[in-house]
Amino acid sequence: LDEGHHSDVICWHPHGRGFMITDKKRFAMEVMSQHFQESKYTSFTRRLNRWNFIIQPHGHKKASYYHPSFIKGEIEMCLQMSPQP
């Protein structure tokens, strides 16, 4: 996210306390294939749920994701995150 690659598909919210996927289909095809083992968007969202991200859908194509310890520029905060069993 910080590097700005694929910013037309995934980007930080302006306040830096969450990110938005603007095109779920393109995200699955272009981003997930490069950075994640799974290739299905539903698998990705299940993983985010396991890490306690809050998901806010914006229609069929878009969604926002929030976690109190996932903040732009605060890499150390991510160390406080842990998945549910």
Side-chain angles (χ1 to χ4, degrees):
L1 278 170
D2 286 341
E3 294 175 5
H5 300 293
H6 307 287
S7 61
D8 57 329
V9 178
I10 182 171
C11 58
W12 285 105
H13 280 289
H15 50 66
R17 297 196 165 268
F19 65 95
M20 176 181 273
I21 294 175
T22 57
D23 189 327
K24 295 175 186 178
K25 189 174 184 177
R26 281 188 58 208
F27 176 78
M29 289 183 347
E30 297 173 18
V31 179
M32 289 182 62
S33 63
Q34 292 179 7
H35 301 283
F36 301 100
Q37 291 178 355
E38 61 265 320
S39 61
K40 294 182 182 176
Y41 187 79
T42 53
S43 298
F44 176 75
T45 58
R46 258 193 309 271
R47 185 170 288 193
L48 289 176
N49 280 330
R50 190 168 171 240
W51 283 84
N52 298 313
F53 275 81
I54 299 166
I55 300 171
Q56 294 183 332
H58 300 286
H60 181 68
K61 232 178 149 180
K62 299 180 182 181
S64 291
Y65 303 89
Y66 301 93
H67 189 287
S69 298
F70 193 78
I71 301 170
K72 183 177 182 177
E74 300 289 335
I75 297 170
E76 314 81 39
M77 297 275 299
C78 291
L79 299 175
Q80 299 174 14
M81 298 171 65
S82 60
Q84 296 176 358

